[in-house]
Amino acid sequence: MAEMMQTQAGDAGAFTSFDLSRVPTPCFVVDAHAIERNLKILADVKARSGAHVLSALKAFSMFEVAPLVSRYLDGVCASGLYEAKLGREEYEGEVATFCAGYKDSEIDQIIALSDHMIFNSPSQKVRFLAKCQAADVSVGLRINPLHSEGEIPKYDPCAPCSRLGTPINQLDDEVLDGMDGLHMHTLCEQGFEPLARTWAAIEPKLAPYLPNLKWLNFGGGHHITRADYDREGLIDFIKTIREKYQVDVYLEPGEAVALDAGILVGEILDLPHNVMDLAITDISATCHMPDVIEAPYRPALMGEATHGHTYRLGGPSCLAGDVIGDYTWDTPLQVGDRFAFLDQAHYSMVKTNTFNGVPLPAIALWNSETDALTMVREFSYDDFKNRLS
């Protein structure tokens, strides 16, 4: 993720007019109009470049909007059995599945659900290629370009000793025997330029094999719907590759589908003081926004002031490190006040957990054009208990 140690960028957009008291807390609120805005941009790139564009379920799998996604994109990409099943059940179009390691007990189900099966290593290809071919499923190999564009090593699939992808210097005719395509995923919240640099570094090495391939998949991490993304450059890039090598081109945006399309609403529970002013909230970094700790990053607060009253926000769990960050309001906080973090529709939603018995956030779908609000899901004690039995 870009700007990991800094404030995560976020555009409040229409959420500035949303009454936070309309939903329980904590609660994810996703704007269907903002999702459609992003999808229209992706569909335009798709139409003008000729690329296949798949929505990455690992980043955003709110299937309440699956009909909307299916209207604009070509399908989904999955990371294993459960996402492949969700993609086939709830979405239309293609299902492309990549997993770092497939299990024998699941492989038949995954093949049956998938249009593309992408393997992480030649050994997995050897084990499962015949089954894929028998099912008439297209087969690909994930490669490691050995060209790093990632800013943070633990999020860089090309970092030394990475387990993700077959190093490009290990490719040969035997490794690629039976392969219909190659897949690479080396970007993280990045623009077009890192993709162009990566391709320039690897194209000469791949050129001998490209005439025998049917497709190239450039994975995810493309912030295509960001205002400053060079979409014209991406379109020309894809058209050039398609024409030069006569291959289909796939993109797997995840965050780009839901960028700036959701908030996480919380409530102030207590206001203790220990050297500085503190605020205990019903939003937990540990349980609801784990990337705050894992990345780490500082999520943007809707309406944050530049000067005023600063509080260190933390969650209700027992983990000492369950701290979201220091934030400033222009007036003092009161117990019961509502607030919202921006750009929380992607990744935060799919990573929530119930550590410490902390409740999962509710999920709401809002339409900023019509102001229609639907409570999609509210979680209960049973959701916590059933995970443990």
Side-chain angles (χ1 to χ4, degrees):
M1 295 183 180
E3 302 178 354
M4 295 248 181
M5 300 298 294
Q6 305 171 29
T7 298
Q8 180 75 12
D11 181 0
F15 285 110
T16 56
S17 67
F18 181 77
D19 180 358
L20 303 183
S21 68
R22 295 175 68 185
V23 294
T25 63
C27 183
F28 290 107
V29 181
V30 176
D31 180 3
H33 180 64
I35 295 289
E36 187 166 22
R37 174 200 65 211
N38 290 334
L39 291 170
K40 286 179 177 179
I41 293 172
L42 294 171
D44 178 66
V45 169
K46 178 171 80 79
R48 294 168 59 202
S49 69
H52 300 251
V53 180
L54 308 178
S55 178
L57 294 181
K58 65 181 177 182
F60 181 66
S61 54
M62 184 180 176
F63 58 91
E64 184 75 10
V65 297
L68 193 58
V69 173
S70 299
R71 188 186 311 165
Y72 291 98
L73 302 188
D74 296 298
V76 300
C77 60
S79 302
L81 175 58
Y82 289 172
E83 285 188 358
K85 190 170 185 178
L86 182 67
R88 187 57 73 198
E89 289 180 350
E90 301 292 340
Y91 295 78
E92 297 178 11
E94 301 177 71
V95 176
T97 306
F98 163 80
C99 186
Y102 293 104
K103 298 177 68 172
D104 286 300
S105 60
E106 297 177 350
I107 192 68
D108 290 339
Q109 295 178 75
I110 297 174
I111 291 172
L113 293 164
S114 304
D115 298 289
H116 285 194
M117 287 288 292
I118 300 165
F119 296 106
N120 191 54
S121 68
S123 59
Q124 286 249 305
K125 180 207 77 168
V126 170
R127 288 174 62 191
F128 302 123
L129 177 61
K131 287 190 173 186
C132 293
Q133 292 176 331
D136 197 26
V137 171
S138 189
V139 179
L141 181 72
R142 176 167 176 168
I143 61 170
N144 176 349
L146 298 178
H147 172 88
S148 288
E149 291 284 348
E151 299 177 12
I152 304 297
K154 70 177 178 180
Y155 285 90
D156 179 10
C158 298
C161 306
S162 172
R163 77 188 197 287
L164 296 173
T166 299
I168 195 170
N169 59 11
Q170 295 180 15
L171 297 184
D172 57 30
D173 290 335
E174 181 179 355
V175 167
L176 294 178
D177 181 47
M179 294 294 96
D180 298 308
L182 294 177
H183 174 282
M184 69 179 196
H185 175 37
T186 62
L187 306 183
C188 189
E189 293 187 356
Q190 290 173 294
F192 167 66
E193 294 77 9
L195 173 62
R197 289 193 296 267
T198 301
W199 180 248
I202 68 173
E203 183 180 12
K205 301 171 185 176
L206 294 182
Y209 308 111
L210 293 174
N212 297 320
L213 298 178
K214 298 177 181 177
W215 51 264
L216 291 172
N217 186 326
F218 289 104
H222 314 277
H223 255 201
I224 300 169
T225 54
R226 200 173 66 203
D228 63 350
Y229 189 95
D230 181 8
R231 290 189 280 272
E232 297 303 320
L234 176 65
I235 290 167
D236 289 342
F237 171 80
I238 293 169
K239 289 170 68 174
T240 297
I241 291 176
R242 291 180 61 239
E243 292 168 5
K244 183 175 181 179
Y245 295 110
Q246 296 298 299
V247 292
D248 287 329
V249 172
Y250 283 79
L251 300 175
E252 298 177 340
E255 291 188 10
V257 174
L259 193 67
D260 292 324
I263 58 175
L264 178 56
V265 182
E267 181 178 324
I268 303 298
L269 304 180
D270 195 18
L271 295 164
H273 183 91
N274 181 6
V275 181
M276 69 176 294
D277 288 335
L278 309 174
I280 308 300
T281 81
D282 60 357
I283 293 178
S284 165
T286 306
C287 301
H288 306 149
M289 299 187 296
D291 278 339
V292 169
I293 296 173
E294 295 172 5
Y297 85 100
R298 179 184 183 274
L301 177 73
M302 187 163 67
E304 183 177 11
T306 54
H307 299 91
H309 304 268
T310 299
Y311 299 82
R312 177 160 296 171
L313 270 60
S317 80
C318 71
L319 183 69
D322 189 359
V323 174
I324 302 167
D326 296 352
Y327 294 88
T328 301
W329 280 259
D330 53 12
T331 58
L333 287 176
Q334 302 291 326
V335 171
D337 283 350
R338 296 288 181 93
F339 63 95
F341 290 114
L342 299 174
D343 202 22
Q344 295 300 308
H346 56 78
Y347 281 111
S348 290
M349 286 185 68
V350 298
K351 285 190 170 186
T352 56
N353 64 79
T354 60
F355 168 71
N356 241 199
V358 172
L360 295 169
I363 299 173
L365 185 64
W366 177 56
N367 188 309
S368 58
E369 274 205 319
T370 66
D371 198 39
L373 179 69
T374 303
M375 289 305 304
V376 175
R377 181 74 186 272
E378 292 186 67
F379 297 90
S380 68
Y381 167 69
D382 286 341
D383 295 293
F384 163 70
K385 182 179 180 182
N386 290 339
R387 293 180 65 252
L388 305 173
S389 60

